[in-house]
Amino acid sequence: EDQVTQSPEALRLQEGESSSLNCSYTVSGLRGLFWYRQDPGKGPEFLFTLYSAGEEKEKERLKATLTKKESFLHITAPKPEDSATYLCAVRSLNYGQNFVFGPGTRLSVLP
Amino acid sequence: EPEVTQTPSHQVTQMGQEVILRCVPISNHLYFYWYRQILGQKVEFLVSFYNNEISEKSEIFDDQFSVERPDGSNFTLKIRSTKLEDSAMYFCAGLGRQEDYGYTFGSGTRLTVV
């Protein structure tokens, strides 16, 4: 069975304090690992897709990387507006077009 | 930027009542989905819909649930007889030809069953 875990569950950072969020996965035939941002009471907002080990994607202060067993979302010099829950999701051969989501990491960036 | 629109944003219903959650997907999307998120829990897959039929469904999507796209635009999720445990945020999502972009999710409908 495909599984996705994320750590830490919650993270508090000072503005400007860089850190990384982890997503570990066990899937049969990875067809993509996706990062989403979710604000309270809103739907997930797409950030990145990664397909193969060694791949990296960047967007503003965020950089996502992928290995064969995990992905990291690096946040460089975060700002308070980066506060959100960050969700990792995988698409695998088992689930067609569908995603298996991780539980998320709740990030708070304090001014 | 195109959006997925969901209505209502919040629905309160009595246990045993039927509810219909509505979604207007992005016009050039081909695949449509319903996901739900119980408060404090993971986002869970319910059903996918392609070419006017269900392509996949999860164990959650039992015979109390149904989906349809009656007029080629609106995409609806019906729960025939709601239970307390159906209380959750329900998200509609769509996907175009380019899977790289991931889904586009709507803002969700908060369903509260009392």
Side-chain angles (χ1 to χ4, degrees), chain A residues 4 31 34 36 38 41-46 48-49 51 57 87 91 94-99 101-103, chain B residues 31 33 35 37 41-45 47-48 56 89 91 95 99-108 110:
Chain A
V4 181
R31 292 177 57 221
F34 297 75
Y36 284 85
Q38 187 177 27
K42 303 283 186 184
E45 177 189 341
F46 173 72
F48 302 111
T49 310
Y51 286 106
K57 295 267 178 80
L87 303 173
R91 183 183 287 153
N94 286 336
Y95 291 100
Q97 289 289 341
N98 314 320
F99 288 159
F101 277 87
Chain B
Y31 302 88
Y33 307 85
Y35 280 77
Q37 187 175 31
Q41 297 188 24
K42 293 185 185 185
V43 177
E44 299 175 293
F45 167 70
V47 65
S48 59
E56 289 175 79
M89 281 288 282
F91 295 109
L95 184 68
E99 295 185 9
D100 275 8
Y101 296 143
Y103 296 166
T104 302
F105 281 86
S107 290
R110 179 173 299 284

Side-chain angles (χ1 to χ4, degrees), chain A residues 8 10 14-15 19-20 23 31 42 45 59 68 74 76 80 85 90 98 103:
Chain A
Q14 290 296 130
E15 185 171 1
S19 189
S20 295
C23 170
R31 292 177 57 221
K42 303 283 186 184
E45 177 189 341
K59 180 179 177 179
K68 287 188 178 177
H74 307 277
T76 303
T85 296
V90 297
N98 314 320

Side-chain angles (χ1 to χ4, degrees), chain A residues 29-68:
Chain A
L30 183 70
R31 292 177 57 221
L33 185 141
F34 297 75
W35 282 98
Y36 284 85
R37 169 191 171 127
Q38 187 177 27
D39 292 300
K42 303 283 186 184
E45 177 189 341
F46 173 72
L47 294 174
F48 302 111
T49 310
L50 301 164
Y51 286 106
S52 53
E55 193 174 353
E56 297 184 353
K57 295 267 178 80
E58 277 189 77
K59 180 179 177 179
E60 296 179 356
R61 295 177 291 283
L62 300 176
K63 183 166 102 173
T65 61
L66 182 65
T67 72
K68 287 188 178 177

